[in-house]
Amino acid sequence: QQALLNQKLRLVFYWDLPLEHPAFHAIQMLSLRGVMDGFPDRTVRPDAPLTRAQMASILTRAYRLWPSVSDWHFQDVPPAHWAFQAVETLHDQGILTALGIPARWPEAGGYAPNKHWGFDKPSERRTFTPDQPVHWGEFLSALRAAMPSVPVS
């Protein structure tokens, strides 16, 4: 695959990713590894800002983080949102602390069924702003925070 990409051959097709694009090689490799899959219309929007939701998806896939959904923590990322599982996984693992959103489990202590009973606690939900662009500093902080979660093999 690497040799083919070095020859500027497309291994994954996106309508808006020309061979000359500076991110062509990186996007192709991330797509081949299942880290990115673009949009349903076969675009990848390489020049658009990366959103918080996209970052969550990329980090959970890149590091193969075990899915974790302990609750519905964000009012703007409901269970039907495409990035719900990725956002909740980063939250539960404390990785969103890099964006100034600390996990709630350390302050709550261990699981108590009467206290932590599930998805219906609207007064406690925060906002995540999934469509907000991620700044490089935030992305690098989240990347660093995700790294210790990765088992060494």
Side-chain angles (χ1 to χ4, degrees):
Q1 293 172 345
Q2 186 69 38
L4 293 172
L5 284 174
N6 288 341
Q7 295 173 40
K8 294 286 187 187
L9 295 175
R10 268 184 233 272
L11 301 178
V12 179
F13 179 79
Y14 296 111
W15 289 105
D16 59 347
L17 185 64
L19 299 172
E20 309 79 38
H21 195 281
F24 174 81
H25 187 90
I27 291 171
Q28 289 285 304
M29 289 305 292
L30 290 170
S31 295
L32 288 169
R33 292 188 174 136
V35 175
M36 293 178 68
D37 57 6
F39 295 92
D41 63 355
R42 298 301 307 152
T43 62
V44 72
R45 301 174 195 159
D47 298 315
L50 184 71
T51 67
R52 289 174 143 207
Q54 291 166 332
M55 178 199 70
S57 177
I58 287 170
L59 289 178
T60 56
R61 289 176 177 197
Y63 291 111
R64 295 186 174 122
L65 300 177
W66 189 260
S68 172
V69 178
S70 64
D71 201 347
W72 172 14
H73 295 99
F74 304 103
Q75 63 188 5
D76 53 355
V77 186
H81 191 280
W82 70 269
F84 174 76
Q85 187 177 41
V87 170
E88 291 295 337
T89 296
L90 293 187
H91 178 269
D92 287 350
Q93 295 196 20
I95 297 167
L96 293 183
T97 303
L99 301 180
I101 305 171
R104 288 211 164 147
W105 57 263
E107 68 190 39
Y111 178 74
N114 294 336
K115 185 177 174 186
H116 308 113
W117 50 270
F119 288 83
D120 196 23
K121 294 184 271 184
S123 63
E124 296 180 24
R125 290 193 193 112
R126 301 180 272 181
T127 56
F128 178 70
T129 56
D131 298 324
Q132 177 179 318
V134 176
H135 301 286
W136 269 110
E138 292 173 321
F139 182 75
L140 292 176
S141 295
L143 193 61
R144 255 186 255 117
M147 284 185 183
S149 302
V150 179
V152 178
S153 52

